[in-house]
């Protein structure tokens, strides 16, 4: 599988499974992007065009990272054999659930969401 589709699958698809290490590492990327944009915003004088640009970029990153975190969490729940709607809990509970999921072991072997972890579901 080419890198770009795999990257898009990891952050935006709701199919497949991810193991704890991939979940943690992939979850750090949206956080780092948000922190970088927030840092850039804090460096610019308020009320300037540049500060408005960085603020808009940050809000876009928050929206995109919310979806990507939801997709990652759904795939993490799939690794336990649980359905996608369990990931809705992450929108309510947030960071606590993300840390908890990082420490649970996966279901061994294939389940109904995929034959192996860290891969899209095969149809």
């Amino acid at each position: 599988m080419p890198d770009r589709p795999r990257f898009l699958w990891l952050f935006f698809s709701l199919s497949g499974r991810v193991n704890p290490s991939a979940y943690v590492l992939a979850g750090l990327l949206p956080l780092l992007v948000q922190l970088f944009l927030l840092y850039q915003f804090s460096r610019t004088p308020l009320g300037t065009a540049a500060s408005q640009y960085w603020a808009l970029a940050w809000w876009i990153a928050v929206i995109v990272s919310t979806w990507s975190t939801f997709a990652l969490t759904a795939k993490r729940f799939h690794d336990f054999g649980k359905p996608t709607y369990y990931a809705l809990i992450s929108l309510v509970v947030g960071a606590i659930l993300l840390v908890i999921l990082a420490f649970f072991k996966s279901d061994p072997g294939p389940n109904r969401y995929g034959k192996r972890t860290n891969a899209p579901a095969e149809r």
Side-chain angles (χ1 to χ4, degrees), residues 55-90:
L56 176 63
W58 182 78
W59 277 109
I60 291 170
V62 166
I63 292 167
V64 170
S65 68
T66 299
W67 175 259
S68 67
T69 302
F70 176 76
L72 281 167
T73 305
K75 286 189 277 289
R76 188 69 193 111
F77 273 113
H78 290 170
D79 210 31
F80 300 124
K82 303 297 182 205
T84 300
Y85 67 82
Y86 275 45
L88 291 173
I89 298 168
S90 71

Side-chain angles (χ1 to χ4, degrees), residues 8 12 17 75 80 114:
L8 292 175
F12 299 107
R17 303 164 57 182
K75 286 189 277 289
F80 300 124

Side-chain angles (χ1 to χ4, degrees), residues 92-103:
V92 177
V93 179
I96 297 168
L97 178 66
L98 299 179
V99 170
I100 291 170
L101 286 176
F103 291 102

Side-chain angles (χ1 to χ4, degrees), residues 8-70:
L8 292 175
W9 164 80
L10 182 62
F11 288 102
F12 299 107
S13 173
L14 294 177
S15 73
R17 303 164 57 182
V18 293
N19 66 14
S21 60
Y23 177 72
V24 169
L25 291 174
L28 287 175
L29 182 62
L31 177 65
L32 291 174
V33 169
Q34 285 182 41
L35 290 174
F36 171 76
L37 295 172
L38 194 58
Y39 169 72
Q40 291 296 344
F41 173 74
S42 70
R43 291 183 57 219
T44 58
L46 290 177
T48 63
S51 71
Q52 291 176 357
Y53 164 77
W54 289 114
L56 176 63
W58 182 78
W59 277 109
I60 291 170
V62 166
I63 292 167
V64 170
S65 68
T66 299
W67 175 259
S68 67
T69 302
F70 176 76

Side-chain angles (χ1 to χ4, degrees), residues 17 109-117 119-122:
R17 303 164 57 182
N111 66 22
R112 66 182 177 159
Y113 295 104
K115 291 183 180 179
R116 61 187 177 89
T117 191
E122 296 172 5

